Amino acid sequence: VSGSVSIRVRGHHGFRRVASFAPGVVVGEMGLLDGGPRSADAVADDHAVVYKLSSENFETIRREHPYLAAKILFNLGVEMATRLRYTTKELQSAEGA
């Protein structure tokens, strides 16, 4: 809703920031979808206000409002596809450098 969030991954020499997101961007979607452990940490860069959708709450939405759950899943899929395309372009650029 407000503030910015950095995504950090642990490497051989500590943490490295790999992305920074402004308000309105979804983070943590992989854990919601597959229930697996986090692949990175999301850390507020400053004061931030965020909304959290827990797995339990999403399951309630899925049962009680299946159309809304389908829209959420579709939007998460679009977001993940967009990020994968960006990552692919970055990898292709790195190969050409």
Side-chain angles (χ1 to χ4, degrees):
V1 176
S2 67
S4 63
V5 174
S6 287
I7 306 302
R8 301 182 323 173
V9 295
R10 183 182 297 270
H12 296 302
H13 303 291
F15 285 99
R16 182 172 64 112
R17 184 173 72 79
V18 295
S20 186
F21 293 120
V25 176
V26 174
V27 297
E29 68 281 356
M30 291 191 330
L32 179 68
L33 293 174
D34 69 7
R38 293 184 190 132
S39 60
D41 292 330
V43 179
D45 295 323
D46 47 31
H47 179 74
V49 176
V50 300
Y51 294 131
K52 176 183 177 182
L53 177 58
S54 68
S55 298
E56 295 81 14
N57 287 341
F58 180 71
E59 182 59 28
T60 300
I61 291 170
R62 192 191 63 74
R63 278 193 321 272
E64 297 177 8
H65 306 283
Y67 180 77
L68 177 58
K71 292 288 282 185
I72 291 170
L73 290 173
F74 177 81
N75 288 333
L76 290 178
V78 169
E79 181 67 26
M80 293 177 76
T82 299
R83 290 184 190 168
L84 183 56
R85 286 184 187 278
Y86 175 80
T87 300
T88 301
K89 285 182 183 178
E90 289 290 311
L91 291 171
Q92 289 169 338
S93 293
E95 284 181 2

